[in-house]
């Protein structure tokens, strides 16, 4: 289900947060299309926070700290990389208006990025919206193998540590399904959303002034540690 919004209609960060609280989010047809439309999928993609699929190879990569993971240190670069063409994805829905809106959300503390660095190179990352105890994943990218997956593992650990109840992926692709994403009905999603946005989720329960180790992130996901 979707409804068209004209390019001149005003969508403020506050309107955007109210939309997320109702289970809808904006998209554009392409990066070059200035208009937005609201989307509310019949089947919604989510990651059960206790059900992330981490292969032994990915676990080794996470544990090795091959990638240094940071939070909110390169938000504009992450969203730019997510908007850029990649092999198998020549165009994206992230237009200038989307970038401006989510940049404003970032400015008021409701949109965050997770970055995975290989030395000084931004190797991968993701960004999304936080509201109460719900996190709405928007997009992710990688320039090096498994970099975005490592960022996702660290995000999930941060959400668990912060008492979140929902990690929304909007839609489920085969790639996300391989990592544990599932589809739920709109009715079930709204119930989960309503409960989660009432939670006092703390995105900064884990430190941001220093990197969290991969071993600590994995321990949190396995329920063997409360903090890094």
């Amino acid at each position: 289900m979707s409804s068209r919004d004209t390019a001149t209609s005003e969508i403020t960060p506050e309107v955007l947060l109210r939309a997320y609280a109702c289970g809808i989010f904006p998209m554009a047809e392409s990066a070059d299309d200035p208009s937005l439309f609201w989307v509310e999928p019949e089947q919604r993609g989510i990651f059960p926070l206790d059900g992330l699929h981490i292969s032994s190879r990915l676990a080794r990569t996470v544990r090795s700290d091959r990638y240094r993971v940071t939070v909110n240190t390169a938000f504009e670069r992450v969203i730019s990389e997510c908007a850029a063409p990649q092999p198998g994805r020549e165009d994206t829905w992230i237009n200038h208006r989307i970038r401006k809106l989510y940049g404003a959300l970032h400015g008021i503390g409701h949109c965050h990025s997770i970055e995975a660095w290989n030395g000084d190179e931004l190797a991968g990352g993701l960004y999304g919206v936080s509201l109460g105890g719900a996190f709405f994943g928007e997009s992710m990218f990688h320039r090096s193998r498994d970099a975005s997956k490592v960022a996702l593992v660290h995000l999930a650990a941060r959400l668990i540590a912060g008492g979140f109840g929902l990690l929304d992926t909007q839609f489920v692709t085969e790639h996300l399904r391989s990592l544990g994403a599932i589809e739920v009905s709109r009715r079930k999603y709204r119930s989960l959303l309503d409960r989660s946005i009432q939670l006092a989720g703390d995105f900064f329960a884990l430190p941001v002034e220093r990197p969290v180790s991969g071993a600590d992130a994995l321990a949190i996901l396995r329920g063997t540690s409360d903090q890094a």
Side-chain angles (χ1 to χ4, degrees):
M1 182 175 123
S2 64
S3 58
R4 183 69 55 176
D5 162 60
T6 66
T8 56
S9 298
E10 182 182 13
I11 301 177
T12 65
E14 292 73 23
V15 168
L16 195 52
L17 289 176
R18 288 198 296 272
Y20 274 102
C22 294
I24 61 177
F25 56 89
M27 293 188 73
E29 290 289 356
S30 70
D32 297 326
D33 186 347
S35 64
L36 301 179
F37 57 94
W38 295 109
V39 180
E40 186 182 18
E42 290 284 350
Q43 295 291 314
R44 192 70 167 243
I46 66 168
F47 272 116
L49 285 170
D50 60 354
L52 198 65
H53 294 172
I54 303 174
S55 68
S56 57
R57 181 179 60 79
L58 177 57
R60 286 194 300 271
T61 300
V62 172
R63 193 178 294 109
S64 73
D65 290 324
R66 170 184 171 188
Y67 297 111
R68 176 174 55 91
V69 178
T70 58
V71 177
N72 289 342
T73 64
F75 179 84
E76 290 296 335
R77 287 183 63 187
V78 168
I79 197 169
S80 292
E81 289 285 357
C82 288
Q86 295 190 41
R89 189 190 71 185
E90 301 308 316
D91 197 7
T92 75
W93 50 269
I94 302 173
N95 65 5
H96 174 74
R97 210 166 157 207
I98 289 282
R99 293 171 66 163
K100 184 176 179 181
L101 271 172
Y102 288 85
L105 276 186
H106 176 66
I108 62 174
H110 280 284
C111 198
H112 306 287
S113 60
I114 305 286
E115 304 94 14
W117 302 85
N118 187 1
D120 293 330
E121 176 190 355
L122 183 59
L126 57 84
Y127 77 97
V129 175
S130 64
L131 183 63
F135 189 90
F136 309 88
E138 287 296 313
S139 189
M140 59 199 305
F141 82 96
H142 71 277
R143 297 296 181 192
S144 299
R145 183 176 183 178
D146 289 340
S148 61
K149 294 179 183 179
V150 171
L152 177 63
V153 168
H154 277 261
L155 170 66
R158 182 167 292 276
L159 298 183
I160 291 170
F164 281 69
L166 172 65
L167 174 49
D168 174 16
T169 71
Q170 299 177 347
F171 303 104
V172 173
T173 63
E174 286 306 310
H175 172 65
L176 295 180
R177 195 183 304 277
S178 72
L179 294 170
I182 63 172
E183 287 183 329
V184 297
S185 67
R186 181 184 295 169
R187 181 176 180 179
K188 183 173 182 179
Y189 175 79
R190 284 181 172 173
S191 176
L192 180 59
L193 174 63
D194 288 345
R195 293 197 305 270
S196 296
I197 61 175
Q198 299 303 316
L199 300 173
D202 181 4
F203 192 78
F204 301 104
L206 294 182
V208 295
E209 69 279 0
R210 60 174 176 82
V212 174
S213 74
D216 285 337
L218 290 171
I220 291 169
L221 291 180
R222 292 169 179 155
T224 60
S225 176
D226 292 325
Q227 59 183 10

